[in-house]
Amino acid sequence: MASSSSPRKRPRPAARTVRNATVVAAVLAVAAGGTYGATVLSDHGERRRPGPAAAPSARTTQVKRADLSDSRTLPGVLGFGARVTVKGTGEGVITRLPAAGSAVASGKPLFWVDDEPVTAFFGDTPFFRPLDKAGITGRDVTVLVENLRALGYDIGPRPRQSMEPVAGSAAGGIGTELTTGVLDALKRWQHDTGRKATGTLDPDRAVVLPGPSRVDAVKAQLGDPAAEDVLSLTAQTKSVTVKVDAGSADSLHKGDKVGIVLPDTRTVPGRIVSVGTTVQGGDDGDAGDGIDATPTLQVTVRHLHSADVAKLDAASVQVVFTTRTRKNVLVVPVGALLALSEGGYALQRPGGKLVGIRTGLFAKGLVEVSGAGVEEGDVVVTAS
């Protein structure tokens, strides 16, 4: 009796062969993937296997000689410096005023009261009394004598200095005696400048200033009383003021060279002209609300060439201070330093040998090195 189901058909040999070949090819491809991937074709379609890869080489540098400088850059303000207010004295009204920006010179009128000039003199003591009699002694006489000499007037024999108390003042000290030669010179100066040749210096008609100045702003108006704020003055020469951390100001000295970076990014040469001695800030009570109470000193810097800042009356600038300089020393990149587990640093030769060294100044990615085994031209390993 015949079965109701059909007999199972065996796969034909050809189909089995193709299937087995496909599996084998896949296995070989996986097992030899690295080799397959490393095989490339030439321009002509031929297989070509690259040669063995070279071991990575360490980056090296040479020990060199150079000048190394440590610098810091701080913000500053370019301008004519602090303003000083000039007040008039005595009776009368202001009848003439100078123009803002005009220069103030010794022996020249600063402003006019009742159509009489109020003259500028340079010194450190204001005139506080009429100078009209020989024998008067004081620092105000010294100011008059020094200005008459500076203006080219012969005052006769040198007036003597005295330690006697100044007449009309509770304070004593060294003063100059007013002589007939000084009074005669005063008369000649008055005559030469169109004033009444009285031989008397009226304190209401003279103002003593620290030195050559510039009119910064005119505060008074024509017709105002003389005994009020008249104008403000600044120095004639522009300078840059910088606030420096008081703790690091010891490295800055009068006469040190600096670089001044102007708003147009030009760097012009300058020099430190003064380092302040009065510490500002630092009071904990002043801190808070975002206010920096770090104690600072004011450093004043002056450009070396007036033409460099001729077009600027005021501006924010940057000042580059060079705090330390090492001349003609051996240097390497900082990345060449290898820290030793026992402390200190070494340099590594390309062959792996370590050479112990001493470090000096670090600046601009370089470091000063020294040691018995280090010479200019040596090749060492570096990370940068």
Side-chain angles (χ1 to χ4, degrees):
M1 183 174 181
S3 173
S4 59
S5 58
S6 301
R8 179 179 298 177
K9 295 181 180 180
R10 294 186 178 182
R12 286 176 293 184
R16 185 189 306 119
T17 302
V18 172
R19 184 166 57 245
N20 291 344
T22 302
V23 172
V24 172
V27 171
L28 291 176
V30 172
T35 303
Y36 181 82
T39 303
V40 296
L41 295 176
S42 68
D43 292 340
H44 302 287
E46 300 175 352
R47 292 183 179 275
R48 182 180 64 190
R49 189 178 303 277
S57 59
R59 296 181 62 180
T60 60
T61 187
Q62 283 189 320
V63 179
K64 299 179 180 180
R65 284 199 174 273
D67 296 340
L68 203 58
S69 295
D70 184 18
S71 63
R72 52 179 164 159
T73 302
L74 297 174
V77 178
L78 171 69
F80 288 96
R83 296 177 177 86
V84 176
T85 298
V86 175
K87 295 185 177 182
T89 60
E91 303 292 334
V93 298
I94 296 174
T95 53
R96 289 178 63 185
L97 289 164
S102 57
V104 179
S106 174
K108 300 295 183 180
L110 185 57
F111 56 94
W112 285 256
V113 173
D114 292 345
D115 258 358
E116 293 186 12
V118 177
T119 304
F121 289 101
F122 299 157
D124 57 6
T125 303
F127 297 121
F128 57 89
R129 57 184 172 173
L131 298 180
D132 55 358
K133 297 178 181 178
I136 295 175
T137 302
R139 293 179 181 272
D140 52 345
V141 178
T142 303
V143 172
L144 176 60
V145 168
E146 291 178 347
N147 278 268
L148 288 173
R149 279 178 172 168
L151 292 169
Y153 288 89
D154 181 10
I155 61 171
R158 184 180 182 88
R160 70 182 182 89
Q161 302 292 306
S162 172
M163 288 295 293
E164 297 177 1
V166 177
S169 171
I174 297 176
T176 303
E177 181 182 4
L178 184 60
T179 64
T180 55
V182 174
L183 293 174
D184 289 342
L186 176 61
K187 284 183 180 179
R188 293 195 299 274
W189 171 77
Q190 289 173 329
H191 176 270
D192 293 344
T193 56
R195 296 166 173 80
K196 295 179 181 178
T198 61
T200 297
L201 181 66
D202 184 349
D204 293 341
R205 296 295 182 265
V207 175
V208 178
L209 305 173
S213 307
R214 164 186 171 273
V215 177
D216 179 69
V218 177
K219 297 177 175 291
Q221 295 182 356
L222 299 180
D224 283 351
E228 292 187 4
D229 293 353
V230 180
L231 43 83
S232 62
L233 303 176
T234 64
Q236 288 185 353
T237 305
K238 299 169 192 173
S239 61
V240 177
T241 55
V242 186
K243 289 185 177 181
V244 178
D245 184 347
S248 60
D250 289 346
S251 60
L252 305 179
H253 307 90
K254 181 179 179 180
D256 288 352
K257 295 180 179 179
V258 301
I260 304 172
V261 185
L262 301 178
D264 61 3
T265 71
R266 287 185 301 132
T267 299
V268 300
R271 195 178 297 274
I272 296 176
V273 294
S274 69
V275 178
T277 57
T278 301
V279 177
Q280 302 175 356
D283 185 355
D284 292 339
D286 294 337
D289 297 330
I291 299 175
D292 186 1
T294 303
T296 60
L297 291 174
Q298 180 170 294
V299 175
T300 302
V301 170
R302 189 161 293 159
H303 47 276
L304 297 186
H305 309 294
S306 298
D308 290 336
V309 295
K311 297 181 180 179
L312 297 172
D313 283 346
S316 296
V317 298
Q318 299 287 323
V319 180
V320 182
F321 295 94
T322 300
T323 53
R324 290 181 297 171
T325 299
R326 299 282 291 160
K327 296 285 188 180
N328 195 34
V329 294
L330 297 176
V331 299
V332 295
V334 173
L337 294 181
L338 184 64
L340 301 176
S341 59
E342 63 270 23
Y345 294 95
L347 299 177
Q348 183 180 2
R349 306 287 192 192
K353 180 181 178 181
L354 298 183
V355 180
I357 51 93
R358 294 183 298 275
T359 59
L361 180 62
F362 287 75
K364 299 178 181 178
L366 300 176
V367 57
E368 175 190 359
V369 295
S370 61
V374 182
E375 296 181 357
E376 182 181 3
D378 286 352
V379 177
V380 296
V381 177
T382 181
S384 61

